[in-house]
Amino acid sequence: MRIDPQIRALRGDPASQRLAQEELVAACDSWRSGAGAEALADLQRYGEGQPLDECPALKTLLNDQAAAFAWLAPLLDAGLESLTRNPLGQFPMRHQYSDGVAMIQLGLSGRAALTLIAYDELQQSPKSASFSAGERHELVLSGVGDFRFVDLLEERANSAAIDQRVRRLVAGETLSCDGATQTRVLERVHGRMVMLRLARTDAAQSDTRQYSLEDGRLLHRASGNRLESQREMATALLGRMGRSDAAPLLAELTREGSAHIRWQSLRECLGLDTATGFAALTQIAADASDELSSPASALRAQLLEAYPQLASLEAIPCPA
């Protein structure tokens, strides 16, 4: 294995690696307490629920290209100088690069995040758009991009009426959207484009819905609650692993949480243990006050029609 001389040198001198990282951390801390302080204080208030109009320093960044450049310059200059001297250092802000998109999270407070995003040249034909409650404000710092703006006009059980239009944005332009009914999808970047994005989730989290841009079909629905999303992934994993021993627990979980996560728990329970799952399904269907009673009754009727032998399971008490 070939080990780069610079990496070998760092392995032989851990102190130099620590000092290099401390220099990068100091550069970011200096910016946070200096040039970046006022807007970051506003970000904290905004993350706690204050309107953007009551956060003047933060609002200025999202509406004034020159002000945004002046605010970012001390951080980027100090960071690049430090990285030039310490090329193997890690920039001490959350960052990532994937498929031509680079991101640096400049600040995170409460429900709000401020992010610097750079797009390399790209051209794509989006097939779907997702909507989730929250608000987003963006400023194009440099470059040119074509965006598809999508408005959710009406939601039905498994589809939606959607309005679409394509618009080109250039440096200095801004855009804002209410994520529950509005979104935008990037279709093309001419060269390279850099944007400053401010996003805040709603205090009352709701489901994220993904619709087909071609016909408005509902493609996917996911919980907007992080804990419920984790639970949904865990239950799906149990199902894929065939863990039938988890069926009693999943039956209990059909009584807890939002309608979406309860239904997902029921589906996985049915797949892992028919008797346990069908008993839980019958219990839900029998409770007229339960918001899932109607779909549970419909599913129970479909299953009994397809598999009459399930009727013999109704005498088995639900473990939940």
Side-chain angles (χ1 to χ4, degrees):
M1 177 187 295
R2 177 184 178 276
I3 300 177
D4 188 276
Q6 288 183 297
I7 297 178
R8 184 181 292 111
L10 286 175
R11 291 176 63 184
D13 183 12
S16 65
Q17 184 175 2
R18 176 176 56 80
L19 292 173
Q21 196 60 36
E22 287 179 354
E23 181 180 329
L24 280 163
V25 170
C28 290
D29 287 345
S30 176
W31 175 78
R32 289 191 183 100
S33 60
E38 189 176 3
L40 292 177
D42 272 359
L43 179 66
Q44 181 177 351
R45 288 189 287 273
Y46 182 70
E48 292 170 350
Q50 292 294 320
L52 186 57
D53 287 340
E54 296 181 15
C55 306
L58 188 59
K59 183 178 180 180
T60 297
L61 294 182
L62 276 299
N63 289 277
D64 188 329
Q65 182 187 23
F69 275 127
W71 185 71
L72 288 166
L75 171 66
L76 299 181
D77 289 345
L80 288 173
E81 288 177 8
S82 183
L83 284 171
T84 299
R85 290 189 294 271
N86 309 286
L88 297 180
Q90 289 290 317
F91 195 68
M93 287 183 172
R94 184 177 180 182
H95 60 279
Q96 67 180 56
Y97 178 84
S98 177
D99 298 327
V101 181
M103 306 175 66
I104 298 177
Q105 189 175 82
L106 302 169
L108 175 67
S109 184
R111 296 184 283 113
L114 186 62
T115 309
L116 186 65
I117 308 173
Y119 299 91
D120 288 337
E121 183 168 1
L122 66 82
Q123 186 168 359
Q124 58 188 4
S125 299
K127 304 298 184 183
S128 64
S130 297
F131 300 86
S132 57
E135 57 184 72
R136 187 166 64 186
H137 309 274
E138 295 172 294
L139 167 67
V140 181
L141 290 171
S142 64
V144 179
D146 297 333
F147 294 83
R148 181 174 295 274
F149 289 77
V150 186
D151 292 333
L152 190 58
L153 304 179
E154 180 186 2
E155 289 189 269
R156 309 181 187 99
N158 294 301
S159 64
I162 293 174
D163 181 59
Q164 307 176 49
R165 62 195 182 282
V166 176
R167 176 184 163 200
R168 176 166 296 180
L169 294 181
V170 300
E173 291 195 80
T174 62
L175 58 154
S176 298
C177 66
D178 175 359
T181 58
Q182 300 171 314
T183 191
R184 58 102 180 125
V185 185
L186 185 57
E187 291 198 348
R188 184 175 183 183
V189 172
H190 303 267
R192 175 171 293 169
M193 182 175 64
V194 180
M195 302 185 72
L196 183 64
R197 173 187 296 170
L198 174 66
R200 182 174 68 183
T201 59
D202 275 5
Q205 297 172 324
S206 59
D207 292 350
T208 297
R209 296 92 63 213
Q210 180 184 18
Y211 291 101
S212 165
L213 290 175
E214 181 180 3
D215 55 15
R217 287 180 297 111
L218 178 64
L219 301 177
H220 182 67
R221 182 184 294 270
S223 173
N225 184 300
R226 181 175 298 179
L227 293 178
E228 285 205 347
S229 292
Q230 293 172 348
R231 177 175 147 186
E232 183 175 357
M233 287 188 287
T235 56
L237 179 60
L238 289 172
R240 302 297 84 73
M241 293 174 65
R243 291 292 300 271
S244 57
D245 58 318
L249 173 61
L250 292 176
E252 292 179 13
L253 292 177
T254 63
R255 313 300 298 178
E256 301 176 9
S258 69
H260 171 75
I261 192 62
R262 290 175 58 209
W263 192 257
Q264 293 301 109
S265 299
L266 180 62
R267 289 180 58 192
E268 297 297 344
C269 186
L270 279 165
L272 289 171
D273 186 316
T274 303
T276 302
F278 192 75
L281 174 66
T282 299
Q283 188 176 24
I284 294 172
D287 184 357
S289 64
D290 193 324
E291 61 182 319
L292 290 179
S293 177
S294 179
S297 296
L299 176 59
R300 178 176 170 278
Q302 292 174 9
L303 290 175
L304 284 172
E305 182 178 357
Y307 308 100
Q309 62 270 33
L310 289 176
S312 63
L313 299 178
E314 292 182 319
I316 302 176
C318 175

